[in-house]
């Protein structure tokens, strides 16, 4: 009990000091939906300041996310401590209608650490500059999408036992996330040479032609180099957001290394302009 009091006092003192340096963000919740919070490290402890807010997380096996629910009442606060000692604090409020159900918490949202970190100040500045928060967000959001069972429509093509499928297209912030699946139903491994996404425009006039413009992904999540026989892989391409007119379409081109099992999959402008 004495040890617990000492630890709690230390946490409160660190929390109070950090609060003076940073304005706390607000997270809204209600009693009909779960609001998911994804943290950069597994959650070791989560505490709400009022009984009308409940933050649930796995206390037996540390996980990266917790679920917040709220009943009508006064606003309160949520304090979360990660496995590495990083402290995160938020104002929590009840809201009947929620516009956001998932929060991906970046490392920079930490208000402090329960353990004093003694390092050279120049090294700290350098390390902070090297943290690519955007890439971290892409990683977490892509992992979240791969765990969802959601489809944008039937976008699939096959050849010689190889099946290329766009399961989902999701718009978030300023990007489009293409959830892609490749199945190898053949008796031979498939070595991937490239998988390119391009925009194809139909030129009007007497001599109709096609003009193709390659689109460079911002981030590739779990892109494989090989799909073994009888196996299936799922991965994600993150692209800058774009929309298409009626005379344009997206082309996903799968090319085999040292082989001819190639696929060109047409993606209608309807799917691009109406993502999930």
């Amino acid at each position: 009990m004495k040890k617990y009091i000492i630890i709690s006092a230390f946490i409160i003192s660190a929390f109070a000091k950090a609060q003076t340096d940073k304005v706390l963000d607000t997270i809204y919740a209600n009693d009909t939906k779960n609001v998911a919070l994804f943290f950069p490290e597994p959650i070791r402890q989560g505490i709400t300041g009022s009984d009308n807010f409940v933050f649930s997380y796995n206390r037996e096996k540390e996980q990266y996310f917790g679920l917040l629910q709220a009943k009508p009442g006064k606003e309160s606060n949520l304090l979360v401590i990660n496995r590495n000692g990083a402290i995160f604090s938020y104002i929590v409020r009840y809201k009947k209608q929620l516009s956001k159900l998932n929060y991906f918490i970046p490392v920079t949202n930490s208000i402090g650490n329960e353990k004093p970190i003694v390092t050279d100040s120049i090294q700290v500045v350098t390390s902070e500059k090297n943290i690519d928060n955007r890439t971290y967000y892409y990683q977490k959001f892509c992992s979240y999408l791969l765990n969802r069972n959601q489809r944008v429509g039937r976008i699939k093509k096959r050849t010689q036992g190889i099946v290329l499928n766009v399961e989902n297209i999701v718009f978030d912030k300023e990007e489009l996330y293409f959830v892609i699946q490749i199945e190898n139903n053949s008796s031979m491994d498939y070595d991937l040479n490239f998988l390119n996404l391009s925009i194809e425009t139909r030129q009007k006039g007497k001599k109709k032609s096609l003009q193709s413009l390659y689109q460079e992904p911002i981030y590739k999540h779990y892109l494989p180099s090989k799909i073994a026989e009888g196996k299936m892989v799922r991965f994600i391409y993150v692209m800058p957001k774009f929309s298409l007119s009626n005379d344009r379409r997206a082309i996903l081109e799968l090319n085999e290394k040292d082989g001819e099992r190639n696929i060109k999959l047409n993606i209608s402008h309807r799917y691009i302009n109406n993502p999930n």
Side-chain angles (χ1 to χ4, degrees):
M1 181 68 179
K2 186 175 180 181
K3 182 179 178 182
Y4 175 77
I5 294 173
I6 293 172
I7 294 173
S8 298
F10 183 76
I11 292 173
I12 292 170
S13 63
F15 170 62
K17 182 181 184 300
Q19 269 193 312
T20 61
D21 299 329
K22 190 169 185 176
V23 177
L24 302 183
D25 293 332
T26 300
I27 295 177
Y28 296 93
N30 62 23
D31 51 356
T32 61
K33 295 181 179 178
N34 283 319
V35 175
L37 280 66
F38 297 85
F39 289 88
E41 292 290 330
I43 300 169
R44 198 183 75 223
Q45 191 172 6
I47 307 166
T48 56
S50 174
D51 291 339
N52 59 309
F53 292 90
V54 177
F55 183 68
S56 56
Y57 59 97
N58 196 328
R59 288 171 168 80
E60 297 179 359
K61 182 181 179 181
E62 292 180 343
Q63 293 182 331
Y64 287 84
F65 72 96
L67 300 176
L68 180 67
Q69 281 197 321
K71 294 180 179 179
K74 293 183 178 180
E75 72 173 36
S76 185
N77 69 306
L78 170 67
L79 181 67
V80 175
I81 303 174
N82 282 180
R83 182 171 59 190
N84 63 353
I87 302 171
F88 298 84
S89 182
Y90 295 92
I91 299 298
V92 287
R93 290 178 181 166
Y94 175 86
K95 192 175 183 181
K96 189 174 182 180
Q97 299 294 331
L98 300 178
S99 59
K100 189 173 183 179
L101 296 177
N102 301 289
Y103 292 80
F104 295 87
I105 312 299
V107 176
T108 51
N109 274 26
S110 172
I111 63 170
N113 197 291
E114 63 175 343
K115 299 176 183 178
I117 302 175
V118 181
T119 54
D120 183 80
S121 59
I122 297 177
Q123 291 179 344
V124 170
V125 173
T126 302
S127 63
E128 287 179 349
K129 287 182 179 180
N130 290 335
I131 295 175
D132 189 344
N133 292 319
R134 202 67 193 145
T135 298
Y136 174 80
Y137 181 85
Y138 293 149
Q139 291 173 346
K140 292 300 178 184
F141 192 61
C142 286
S143 296
Y144 167 72
L145 291 179
L146 288 176
N147 288 325
R148 294 177 70 186
N149 185 20
Q150 185 185 49
R151 295 181 182 275
V152 73
R154 185 174 177 82
I155 313 173
K156 181 184 292 188
K157 192 171 182 180
R158 68 181 70 222
T159 183
Q160 302 180 59
I162 306 301
V163 184
L164 177 61
N165 178 21
V166 177
E167 287 187 354
N168 201 5
I169 303 174
V170 178
F171 173 69
D172 179 72
K173 298 185 182 297
E174 297 297 318
E175 291 84 29
L176 285 173
Y177 291 74
F178 288 76
V179 182
I180 302 166
Q181 176 183 294
I182 300 176
E183 291 181 67
N184 183 0
N185 297 322
S186 71
S187 58
M188 184 186 302
D189 292 349
Y190 187 92
D191 293 309
L192 193 147
N193 186 26
F194 65 79
L195 180 72
N196 289 343
L197 181 71
S198 58
I199 304 301
E200 192 174 81
T201 304
R202 299 182 184 90
Q203 300 294 327
K204 297 180 180 179
K206 292 183 179 180
K207 295 183 179 180
K208 295 182 180 180
S209 61
L210 297 176
Q211 185 178 29
S212 184
L213 182 63
Y214 170 69
Q215 303 293 302
E216 179 69 34
I218 301 173
Y219 174 75
K220 300 176 183 179
H221 190 74
Y222 291 163
L223 176 66
S225 58
K226 180 191 293 289
I227 302 99
E229 58 173 298
K231 298 295 182 180
M232 179 269 289
V233 294
R234 297 170 71 238
F235 54 95
I236 295 179
Y237 269 23
V238 182
M239 312 293 296
K241 71 173 183 179
F242 63 92
S243 61
L244 299 177
S245 58
N246 293 350
D247 62 340
R248 303 173 77 195
R249 62 186 179 185
I251 305 293
L252 193 62
E253 183 179 2
L254 177 66
N255 186 274
E256 183 182 16
K257 183 179 180 181
D258 301 324
E260 297 181 355
R261 293 177 292 178
N262 305 321
I263 299 176
K264 279 191 176 183
L265 178 61
N266 298 335
I267 306 173
S268 169
H269 66 277
R270 297 191 304 273
Y271 296 118
I272 301 296
N273 298 344
N274 298 281
N276 287 321

